[in-house]
Amino acid sequence: MQWPLTMTDATVSETAGRTETAPPATCQSAQEIISLRRSIHRHPEPAFVEIRTAALILGYLERLPCRISMGERVLSATSVPDYPSKGQLDAAVDAAVAAGIDPGEAARIAEAGTALVAEIDGNRPGPAWAFRFDMDALPIRESQDPGHRPFEQGFASVNGNMHACAHDGHVAVGVALATRLSDGNFAGSVKIVFQPAEEGCRGAAGMIAAGVGLGIDRFVGLHLGNSMPAGSVAGSAYGLLATTKLRIRFEGLSAHAGSAPSHGRNALLAAATATLNLHAISRFAGHETRINVGRLTAGDAANVIAGSAEMSMEVRADDGDVNDELVRRTRRIVESAAEMHEVSATVFVVGSATSFCPDDEIVDEVVAAAQALGVQDRRSRHLLTSSDDFSLWGQKVQQNGGRAAFVLVGGGNTLPHHHPEFDIDESCLPIAADVLERLVRR
């Protein structure tokens, strides 16, 4: 890939009326990391179609003395539920090209997949490190409130999606880490893993299935924000919830709602019955559990018995076995609701993650690195009762005898993740890069 990308130096956004500059040519300094984060923030891309984002990453990696892997070597697309269709990929290519990416490069990435791994060898023996940086955005429309800093300063999303979970910052830190470590002045080796589709917990499983999680001694994930003070550092998150994401399809029979209602089989009522009973599943004593039906669509018209319905839902628990039991009960309720209304139901698992326990050795090393860098607000662990498919990476590495931790760097966010006005204090970006670099070099 040639650098700079085929992006004009002053592309004006019709949405925000702001002037956009090209991403920085290098990514090592604080300002360069922040500039790259803003470029990614402006053009967010959802799961498995992070084409512009991947193109930007490749633009940096291909200038470094590292080995780059993509395609089936790093992502088993056939093992991914609901992988984008050709039509969805073509639309994503068009969007990436409109945002300044070379058409041939965009098409190449769409065919290969957006997952990327950069490998760098150190100049002396040592452990095999790996770092995961997630890339995808959310289907959230970003706030255009004048008080929302990204909008006010001209780098808010222009396409209807949003980086409302700091993955834009993760990518920028990952590129900076690869750039800094490309001098090879450290012990062992490093894999920089750029993962698509963390939202919905779909990307890690596909990369693990391709073998990316093998041969790693120490695996580290990063998350920015976390409602922690800006620049604070926690050696790892704890309390991550196991989760299973489900899509459920009910199939009944349409009929005229006025003259022949008895001839119909109402899929909407079956789905509604299931929804109410799913939210009535008993909580588990001694465990944190969550159940949510987040989307329910059904029917075609007011005077037609709904012949089909579809819901998207999730269960979560602080224990993998408890999560599995919630899935079992979910299936039972869905089957019973379908039988009650004489319709059929099919349950699809579309994403998953497990619970995670970090290793003390890496946690202590992260805290020591933060201390050496003068970080005042540091702690061993921070409670994070959400879900992240980094847990699958950690589980895989730990099962193979390695160690793992999910490092948190505070983003000073006053609003929660996945909020239309979510933003981070960008001072956390160079701190995150410094801590991870120190972790490897020490």
Side-chain angles (χ1 to χ4, degrees):
M1 179 188 297
Q2 296 296 314
W3 191 270
L5 300 173
T6 52
M7 177 184 293
T8 61
D9 287 341
T11 301
V12 178
S13 163
E14 295 179 0
T15 302
R18 302 281 186 167
T19 299
E20 178 177 357
T21 57
T26 62
C27 189
Q28 293 195 62
S29 70
Q31 189 54 53
E32 288 168 343
I33 299 171
I34 291 169
S35 294
L36 178 56
R37 179 255 170 169
R38 291 188 175 196
S39 178
I40 296 168
H41 188 93
R42 189 173 174 86
H43 298 278
E45 298 165 302
F48 294 116
V49 293
E50 309 94 335
I51 292 172
R52 179 184 184 272
T53 306
L56 292 182
I57 295 168
L58 279 169
Y60 292 100
L61 296 183
E62 289 178 346
R63 303 175 70 202
L64 304 177
C66 65
R67 299 183 299 280
I68 304 169
S69 298
M70 55 192 303
E72 286 293 323
R73 290 177 293 173
V74 298
L75 177 69
S76 175
T78 56
S79 69
V80 174
D82 283 349
Y83 194 77
S85 66
K86 184 179 185 304
Q88 290 170 318
L89 289 170
D90 288 345
V93 167
D94 292 342
V97 171
I101 302 303
D102 175 77
E105 183 69 1
R108 180 174 79 96
I109 293 170
E111 182 177 357
T114 54
L116 298 166
V117 176
E119 297 179 74
I120 305 168
D121 293 326
N123 56 12
R124 54 194 184 276
W129 288 90
F131 295 85
R132 194 286 304 262
F133 302 97
D134 37 12
M135 309 159 62
D136 56 320
L138 289 150
I140 295 173
R141 185 168 294 278
E142 185 163 9
S143 171
Q144 296 190 7
D145 188 302
H148 180 51
R149 189 175 64 94
F151 180 76
E152 185 179 58
Q153 297 188 15
F155 64 94
S157 169
V158 297
N159 64 18
N161 298 304
M162 181 183 175
H163 272 296
C165 205
H167 296 186
D168 49 348
H170 300 171
V171 171
V173 171
V175 171
L177 184 64
T179 303
R180 294 178 179 188
L181 293 177
S182 64
D183 63 8
N185 186 25
F186 60 89
S189 62
V190 170
K191 284 184 180 179
I192 309 293
V193 178
F194 294 98
Q195 178 202 305
E198 185 281 321
E199 302 293 353
C201 298
R202 295 194 290 150
M207 296 191 76
I208 291 169
V212 178
L214 300 176
I216 296 171
D217 298 316
R218 300 180 179 184
F219 201 105
V220 173
L222 169 71
H223 213 301
L224 303 168
N226 321 302
S227 298
M228 293 166 54
S232 58
V233 174
S236 184
Y238 76 97
L240 287 177
L241 301 178
T243 185
T244 303
K245 317 296 185 186
L246 304 166
R247 189 179 74 250
I248 301 167
R249 180 80 178 177
F250 295 88
E251 292 290 350
L253 183 64
S254 298
H256 195 289
S259 62
S262 59
H263 289 268
R265 296 294 181 265
N266 200 317
L268 185 156
L269 289 182
T273 299
T275 297
L276 292 174
N277 284 278
L278 287 167
H279 279 274
I281 290 177
S282 175
R283 299 301 181 251
F284 284 67
H287 290 282
E288 290 281 344
T289 58
R290 308 281 192 275
I291 297 169
N292 186 59
V293 176
R295 183 182 67 88
L296 176 58
T297 58
D300 299 301
N303 63 346
V304 180
I305 299 295
S308 64
E310 185 173 283
M311 68 165 63
S312 296
M313 64 161 298
E314 65 172 14
V315 299
R316 303 188 196 223
D318 60 0
D319 179 86
D321 291 338
V322 173
N323 186 78
D324 291 344
E325 175 61 14
L326 289 174
V327 173
R328 188 194 70 80
R329 295 189 185 192
T330 293
R331 291 181 181 276
R332 182 68 180 272
I333 288 170
V334 168
E335 291 165 1
S336 298
E339 183 178 0
M340 177 187 296
H341 293 277
E342 298 186 61
V343 304
S344 65
T346 307
V347 179
F348 303 92
V349 175
V350 296
S352 64
T354 189
S355 50
F356 172 67
C357 182
D359 290 289
D360 291 341
E361 181 179 334
I362 297 185
V363 169
D364 292 343
E365 290 180 358
V366 173
V367 173
Q371 182 177 12
L373 291 165
V375 175
Q376 298 299 310
D377 188 344
R378 55 187 186 273
R379 59 200 79 172
S380 293
R381 288 170 174 76
H382 181 79
L383 180 64
L384 202 64
T385 52
S386 58
S387 303
D388 194 295
D389 64 6
F390 172 79
S391 62
L392 299 179
W393 290 108
Q395 180 187 65
K396 181 68 174 180
V397 170
Q398 289 171 337
Q399 287 174 345
N400 291 336
R403 298 177 176 85
F406 193 30
V407 176
L408 305 180
V409 177
N413 53 299
T414 57
L415 293 168
H417 294 249
H418 299 198
H419 189 283
E421 293 186 36
F422 174 83
D423 190 23
I424 56 173
D425 183 327
E426 292 171 318
S427 67
C428 72
L429 297 171
I431 293 172
D434 291 346
V435 169
L436 299 185
E437 179 187 7
R438 178 85 180 193
L439 192 61
V440 174
R441 293 202 194 273
R442 69 187 294 272

